[in-house]
Amino acid sequence: MTQTAPESSAVTTSGDGRFASLDPRTGEVVAHHPIHTPKQVADAVAQARRASNWWQELGFAGRKERLDAWRRLLVKRLDEAAGLISAETGKPAADAKLEMVIVIDHLHWAARNAERVLRKRRVPAGLLMSNQSATLEYLPVGVVGVIGPWNYPAFTPMGSIAYALAAGNTVVFKPSELTPGVGTWLADTLAEIVPEHPVLSVVTGFGETGAALCRSGVDKLAFTGSTATGKRVMAACAESLTPVLVECGGKDALIVDYDADVQLAADAAVWGAMSNAGQTCIGVERVYVHEDVADEFTAAVKKLAAKLRPGGDPGADLGPITMPAQVDIIRGHVQDAIDKGAKALVGGVESVRPPFVEPVVLADVPEDSLAITEETFGPTITVNRVRDVDEAIRLANAGRYGLGGTIFSKSRGEQLARRLRAGMVSVNGVVAFAAIPSLPFGGVGESGFGRIHGEDGLREFARPQAVARRKFKPLLNPMSFSRGAGTVRQLLAIVKLRYGRK
């Protein structure tokens, strides 16, 4: 459920119910895709539901076998996938290949660990229910709808798709209208491994297609996108009480303490801010640096950022801004900051040259500037010096987002990380948590709720079922109208004896 019509020249529609995805570097057509109607979305969900029982009955071992085969196919055809990602997003080939490497690692982890995390297991019944056998297992929810973004068109949605499939669900995926080919390619490759039933199907189109998926009767919906669109997704799903997982925007901060490795921190800040042309929800958008090392850090950031070059050629460091409408937002944030007194250390408003944006480093940026308060989603970074780390933490936590964060400190990194209001934190590194399959991924505040990846991500797409089974007749049975007059009194005496002591 992204925009309801093409926002820009990144997509074009035709009169035959199709639209074209375009290469943002050149404007050339990559491929044409259908605009699926609400009825076609409902049909896809109905097919997925028919496939659901078969997929569940394969069991953990059967599903692992299929998902492992899919993983091997993705490895074999990695260059093909990366080429398509580059064509639809414009990102450099190396970055597209890195995206697929992480996809493959997550798929392997999900398939390997699903049984361990979700299988039936015994749990203690407790003193009062000692005559009962208690078990807990996590069953598939059924059909999962996934609405994915364009900035990481394989990695981000696969954080839901792979884990949902491993948990025993079938999936209907609506990719961004900017990157429909990547979603279609993923479904087609899995169909080569699982030809019997459509366990992963794709519907393409614009906002109406996404809204139809929200209202289609899926058993859960996972959404990644803007906070504003996320609220509309939640409203649509609320009509049928469809549970949702929402991962929205971020305004992540990087904090540099007085004892940090300054050169390492500068390198991380530039990569975190500029990679993928800044189009990363967990990218570094704000830096708060201790005044004792601020000059050294700022000089290092300035030197590194000034070397980066955007372009559409293989040797470029950064690709284009994939969604042209974002260009005006980036320009507006830079202009607003400068108008309010910020200093442009690298680039400036003139760096915005659609479809490319050159690196922009802003210093001494007022905290009420759009570049501080709103998600910029471009190759820009703000660097503000602070008196101490307490001020840095306060400023980092002041915004309404809470997705990720970064701490650079030799002596107290983990201690400071706990104080950040964020779902994920990297210490002396940047965005490392996203590439670790066992760590849950998600935010707080207006960055959303729910988790993908890791054990939490597997359980996110399963429903816990608790079962209590009577093993033998209890000595005392308070849950009966035939209980004796002294039953509850005896239970109270046991409770006081067992639990009333220190």
Side-chain angles (χ1 to χ4, degrees):
M1 188 172 171
T2 48
Q3 59 264 29
T4 58
E7 279 194 355
S8 64
S9 60
V11 290
T12 59
T13 58
S14 59
D16 61 352
R18 298 189 305 157
F19 69 102
S21 62
L22 307 181
D23 188 325
R25 299 168 294 190
T26 63
E28 295 178 351
V29 173
V30 177
H32 289 86
H33 299 271
I35 302 174
H36 284 105
T37 65
K39 183 181 183 306
Q40 290 172 317
V41 172
D43 289 345
V45 172
Q47 286 185 323
R49 194 164 300 286
R50 288 192 291 271
S52 180
N53 287 339
W54 175 82
W55 184 243
Q56 291 182 30
E57 288 173 0
L58 285 179
F60 290 111
R63 291 192 295 269
K64 181 179 183 301
E65 181 181 354
R66 303 299 184 96
L67 294 176
D68 284 345
W70 188 28
R71 166 176 50 83
R72 291 190 293 270
L73 180 61
L74 295 183
V75 172
K76 182 178 180 180
R77 296 171 62 178
L78 189 149
D79 287 346
E80 179 184 338
L84 182 56
I85 292 171
S86 290
E88 289 196 321
T89 66
K91 69 176 62 178
D95 289 351
K97 291 177 181 178
L98 175 60
E99 180 173 348
M100 283 305 300
V101 166
I102 302 175
V103 164
I104 290 163
D105 196 26
H106 274 274
L107 177 57
H108 174 256
W109 192 94
R112 182 179 182 180
N113 289 279
E115 182 172 10
R116 176 184 62 81
V117 174
L118 304 176
R119 67 188 175 193
K120 180 185 289 189
R121 65 180 186 273
R122 287 185 177 277
V123 295
L127 175 66
L128 299 182
M129 292 288 107
S130 58
N131 73 311
Q132 298 284 325
S133 170
T135 60
L136 172 66
E137 69 176 314
Y138 293 85
L139 302 173
V141 298
V143 180
V144 173
V146 176
I147 298 179
W150 49 263
N151 57 331
Y152 290 92
F155 166 65
T156 300
M158 279 292 284
S160 297
I161 293 168
Y163 290 77
L165 289 170
N169 305 281
T170 53
V171 176
V172 179
F173 173 35
K174 193 277 180 190
S176 166
E177 59 270 30
L178 301 182
T179 54
V182 177
T184 300
W185 187 90
L186 289 170
D188 288 347
T189 53
L190 181 56
E192 293 182 31
I193 302 298
V194 189
E196 298 93 335
H197 296 280
V199 297
L200 170 61
S201 54
V202 168
V203 292
T204 54
F206 302 101
E208 292 90 344
T209 304
L213 185 57
C214 293
R215 298 185 173 98
S216 65
V218 293
D219 298 291
K220 187 160 191 173
L221 189 126
F223 166 81
T224 302
S226 72
T227 299
T229 304
K231 292 177 180 178
R232 294 197 295 272
V233 165
M234 290 177 62
C237 289
E239 296 171 9
S240 56
L241 285 183
T242 299
V244 294
L245 181 159
V246 179
E247 192 248 292
C248 298
K251 194 69 182 177
D252 291 3
L254 183 150
I255 294 174
V256 185
D257 202 2
Y258 71 94
D259 64 344
D261 182 326
V262 174
Q263 296 301 316
L264 183 65
D267 181 76
V270 173
W271 169 260
M274 309 296 176
S275 61
N276 200 31
Q279 300 167 115
T280 305
C281 59
I282 52 172
V284 175
E285 296 212 3
R286 300 176 292 154
V287 174
Y288 296 105
V289 54
H290 195 289
E291 60 184 5
D292 288 356
V293 294
D295 290 342
E296 180 186 358
F297 174 84
T298 303
V301 166
K302 182 177 178 180
K303 181 179 180 180
L304 290 169
K307 294 179 179 178
L308 301 178
R309 183 177 62 84
D313 57 287
D317 300 298
L318 314 177
I321 302 304
T322 305
M323 187 170 70
Q326 194 68 27
V327 171
D328 289 336
I329 295 174
I330 297 168
R331 181 189 292 111
H333 286 195
V334 174
Q335 185 67 67
D336 176 71
I338 292 173
D339 288 347
K340 290 178 177 176
K343 300 174 184 176
L345 302 182
V346 176
V349 178
E350 69 279 4
S351 301
V352 181
R353 301 175 182 177
F356 303 100
V357 175
E358 297 171 353
V360 177
V361 179
L362 302 171
D364 303 328
V365 184
E367 290 294 317
D368 63 349
S369 299
L370 295 174
I372 294 287
T373 61
E374 301 293 333
E375 188 174 32
T376 305
F377 228 57
T380 69
I381 190 171
T382 66
V383 181
N384 285 349
R385 63 179 64 209
V386 292
R387 295 184 305 276
D388 52 39
V389 76
D390 291 331
E391 182 184 8
I393 294 287
R394 177 179 62 80
L395 293 172
N397 289 341
R400 65 182 189 274
Y401 296 108
L403 194 53
T406 306
I407 300 287
F408 272 86
S409 174
K410 292 179 180 177
S411 62
R412 48 179 178 170
E414 292 189 29
Q415 173 190 343
L416 298 176
R418 295 188 73 251
R419 296 173 59 189
L420 278 182
R421 182 177 173 268
M424 305 155 292
V425 183
S426 284
V427 177
N428 296 328
V430 66
V431 302
F433 44 75
I436 299 175
S438 57
L439 284 178
F441 185 104
V444 298
E446 292 205 11
S447 289
F449 52 86
R451 294 295 183 268
I452 58 176
H453 304 173
E455 295 184 6
D456 292 59
L458 286 168
R459 294 191 186 101
E460 193 76 48
F461 299 106
R463 58 180 180 87
Q465 186 175 74
V467 176
R469 179 179 59 82
R470 174 172 156 158
K471 297 187 295 183
F472 53 83
K473 180 180 179 180
L475 295 176
L476 297 172
N477 183 15
M479 298 179 183
S480 171
F481 286 112
S482 62
R483 69 192 182 198
T487 299
V488 173
R489 184 173 63 253
Q490 290 176 284
L491 284 175
L492 288 174
I494 293 172
V495 167
K496 290 177 181 178
L497 181 65
R498 176 67 177 82
Y499 298 120
R501 299 176 177 177
K502 290 183 179 180

